[in-house]
Amino acid sequence: MAWISALLSVGRNASATQAVAGLRTVLSGRPILRREAAPTQDGERGHVVVEPRAAWFVEARAAGLGPVTVAYERQGTGEPVVLLHGLGCHRQAWDAVVPLLTERREIIAMDLPGFGQSPDPDPDVPHDLETAVAWLGSVFTAMGVERPHVVGHSLGGLIALRLGQAGFARSVTALAPAGFWTPVERRYTYALLTAAHESVRLLPDRALEVLVDTALARAVLTGTLYGQAALCPPHAVASALRMLRDSTAFQATLRAGRAPDLFTGDIPDVPVTIAWGTRDRLLPPIQATRAHAMIPGARLVPLPGCGHVPMLDAPDLLARVILRATEPEAARRTATDER
């Protein structure tokens, strides 16, 4: 979703149609997208290619639902930590953080159903939160992981909180979780997301290559999601573009997110950490205050200088937050007693 900042010029009250037009203007051949001369040894620039990584797959079945197949990668040692990505994204969103965790935790990064390499289940099955929680609970069981720590970003953060409520998580770390918006804020976010998806769905590969191959374009395209856009490498932008374009469950999941009260109640028996970038322009940090008010026992952690996607802005900081939030229970009790 790293291109949606190009739509901000339309304004907070823009419709999705206006925003699509704005992005198409960016893609229409202005100088910002012009391929600059930078010859390689053979005199030509290489094409941007993001190879899909090998994944393991697990099939599971929840009561009353059909089977679901999930792609995942599993590495490291220690207590199990499941990583859940945001809307229109994939498990590789965590690539900068995973190596900082694997010496002390077993990391399971997975593609949510209908995203990344995980196939979309039966289209007749709703893509609502209740279904996602039931499916992921069955996936944990099929993988032999009993109540893992769950870390989620945006959509994944909301799912992680619901997994905690359902008793499927040992601890929950939610990074800018979706669902704590006002109606106006939701319309703004949805206008950007819908416009981005509709535009990238028609985006030729050649235009994608030009976009990610120009430093100025990358800065414009990543300004909304990243607090430090210059740190976003071209291959990460290309990968994000392709994943959004190929996310078969995007529209159905977005529709399901229009439901009221996506999160209600508390999570009294599970340690919860809510972390939010101080420069998040997609889901403004004021929403962190609402989430904390609903889950008063949660630890609220600001991420200074980070945008909506802190995994590239500050991977070291984020790794420290995750390691602290997923400490073994005995260590957590000791730390509490010492305080």
Side-chain angles (χ1 to χ4, degrees):
M1 298 185 293
W3 48 94
I4 64 175
S5 58
L7 305 175
L8 280 180
S9 60
V10 182
R12 283 183 172 268
N13 296 321
S15 67
T17 301
Q18 289 172 315
V20 170
L23 185 54
R24 284 176 178 164
T25 298
V26 174
L27 298 177
S28 64
R30 286 183 174 184
I32 192 172
L33 301 181
R34 186 169 58 240
R35 182 178 287 262
E36 299 173 353
T40 57
Q41 290 181 350
D42 60 4
E44 295 182 359
R45 294 186 64 88
H47 292 290
V48 176
V49 177
V50 180
E51 295 289 346
R53 293 221 299 269
W56 293 317
F57 293 85
V58 60
E59 182 178 281
R61 184 187 296 268
L65 296 171
V68 63
T69 300
V70 167
Y72 69 97
E73 295 179 57
R74 190 170 185 171
Q75 55 189 303
T77 183
E79 294 207 356
V81 177
V82 171
L83 304 180
L84 304 178
H85 59 77
L87 180 68
C89 203
H90 57 159
R91 66 186 187 278
Q92 284 93 330
W94 300 96
D95 278 1
V97 180
V98 169
L100 307 175
L101 303 173
T102 50
E103 288 188 3
R104 299 169 63 182
R105 302 288 187 272
E106 181 184 27
I107 301 300
I108 304 169
M110 60 177 60
D111 290 331
L112 293 170
F115 298 95
Q117 290 180 271
S118 294
D120 198 10
D122 187 336
D124 293 332
V125 176
H127 288 69
D128 56 18
L129 286 167
E130 290 75 12
T131 301
V133 168
W135 265 336
L136 288 175
S138 68
V139 166
F140 296 167
T141 300
M143 296 176 66
V145 181
E146 182 180 356
R147 295 186 71 237
H149 302 279
V150 181
V151 180
H153 169 246
S154 199
L155 168 65
L158 176 58
I159 294 173
L161 292 171
R162 294 289 294 266
L163 285 166
Q165 279 190 322
F168 290 128
R170 192 173 309 181
S171 74
V172 172
T173 304
L175 312 178
F180 295 95
W181 42 47
T182 66
V184 171
E185 290 168 347
R186 185 191 65 76
R187 286 195 295 270
Y188 162 71
T189 300
Y190 267 45
L192 293 179
L193 293 175
T194 301
H197 184 260
E198 286 303 305
S199 296
V200 78
R201 186 173 59 85
L202 305 174
L203 187 66
D205 281 346
R206 173 66 176 174
L208 185 152
E209 293 169 8
V210 173
L211 281 171
V212 302
D213 210 21
T214 306
L216 181 57
R218 286 198 307 276
V220 172
L221 295 171
T222 57
T224 298
L225 294 191
Y226 301 100
Q228 303 182 62
L231 298 182
C232 188
H235 75 271
V237 181
S239 179
L241 284 167
R242 295 178 192 278
M243 283 302 106
L244 180 67
R245 182 181 62 189
D246 299 335
S247 295
T248 56
F250 181 89
Q251 292 287 8
T253 303
L254 204 62
R255 286 195 298 271
R258 295 179 184 274
D261 301 326
L262 294 177
F263 184 90
T264 58
D266 194 1
I267 314 177
D269 301 323
V270 175
V272 175
T273 298
I274 299 171
W276 221 291
T278 60
R279 297 178 63 183
D280 193 330
R281 299 181 184 93
L282 186 65
L283 297 179
I286 185 63
Q287 297 179 20
T289 304
R290 299 179 197 135
H292 190 244
M294 192 167 290
I295 311 170
R299 175 172 169 256
L300 186 59
V301 180
L303 302 175
C306 289
H308 183 63
V309 184
M311 291 86 90
L312 283 177
D313 274 335
D316 293 313
L317 170 61
L318 192 55
R320 291 195 297 271
V321 170
I322 293 173
L323 288 171
R324 177 174 175 180
T326 60
E327 286 178 342
E329 187 174 352
R332 191 182 301 116
R333 283 201 302 268
T334 299
T336 301
D337 293 341
E338 290 176 351
R339 289 197 296 269

